[in-house]
Amino acid sequence: MSSSMRGNRTRKFKAEINVVPYIDVMLVLLIIFMVAAPITNPGVINLPSAEKSSLPPTEYIQISLKPDSASTIGINGQKSGGAQPESASSRSDLMKKLRDIHEANPELPVMISGDKESRYDDVIQIISEAKKFGITRVGLATKS
């Protein structure tokens, strides 16, 4: 019996994990991420470029947007007859006035002047609505 007990004492199980393959995998993944990181730059947005119009239209429908969601609409040029732009209290009111002016003068393009503090979404929504009315020429007014 003493010999069998001695045999059990000498036989010990090793509970070790071989981590060398995990280190190899981690190094390969590190190299892949180091190579792939400079290729993709999520902070860069490629915006389309537009050339400045050499001759802006002489007559157009002018929409002015202010940051406090106040807006004005009117015709600039000879067809205005000296009329002052009308103020619009809401977006739906502005779109109704735009539709009325466009039906009376279908050949006039639209020029949108957005204050730099106004929301980008407001300008895009007005361009979208103008396109739905059938207005094909919509421009943005900028400072030179």
Side-chain angles (χ1 to χ4, degrees):
M1 263 208 202
S2 62
S3 65
S4 67
M5 287 181 101
R6 202 178 316 148
N8 284 341
R9 284 186 187 161
T10 58
R11 207 192 299 164
K12 289 185 178 177
F13 292 109
K14 288 187 175 184
E16 294 180 15
I17 297 174
N18 189 6
V19 294
V20 174
Y22 298 115
I23 293 172
D24 291 342
V25 169
M26 291 303 292
L27 288 174
V28 168
L29 288 175
L30 179 68
I31 291 170
I32 289 172
F33 286 126
M34 286 174 60
V35 170
I39 293 173
T40 59
N41 191 353
V44 174
I45 299 172
N46 294 321
L47 292 174
S49 62
E51 293 182 16
K52 185 176 177 181
S53 176
S54 58
L55 290 172
T58 56
E59 295 180 333
Y60 53 90
I61 301 169
Q62 174 76 38
I63 298 175
S64 299
L65 300 176
K66 305 244 169 48
D68 56 356
S69 67
S71 55
T72 60
I73 184 169
I75 297 177
N76 277 4
Q78 296 174 351
K79 288 195 177 187
S80 68
Q84 292 296 320
E86 301 176 33
S87 61
S89 58
S90 65
R91 166 112 25 99
S92 60
D93 186 32
L94 178 71
M95 291 299 111
K96 182 180 173 295
K97 289 179 181 182
L98 176 60
R99 182 185 297 255
D100 294 341
I101 293 173
H102 175 65
E103 287 175 357
N105 305 291
E107 75 284 350
L108 289 181
V110 172
M111 183 75 68
I112 300 173
S113 301
D115 189 89
K116 70 178 178 179
E117 300 296 323
S118 62
R119 290 181 28 212
Y120 186 66
D121 183 55
D122 293 339
V123 176
I124 297 302
Q125 292 299 325
I126 290 174
I127 292 172
S128 175
E129 291 292 326
K131 296 284 185 182
K132 287 180 188 174
F133 294 157
I135 302 170
T136 56
R137 294 175 58 200
V138 179
L140 299 174
T142 59
K143 266 190 204 178
S144 323

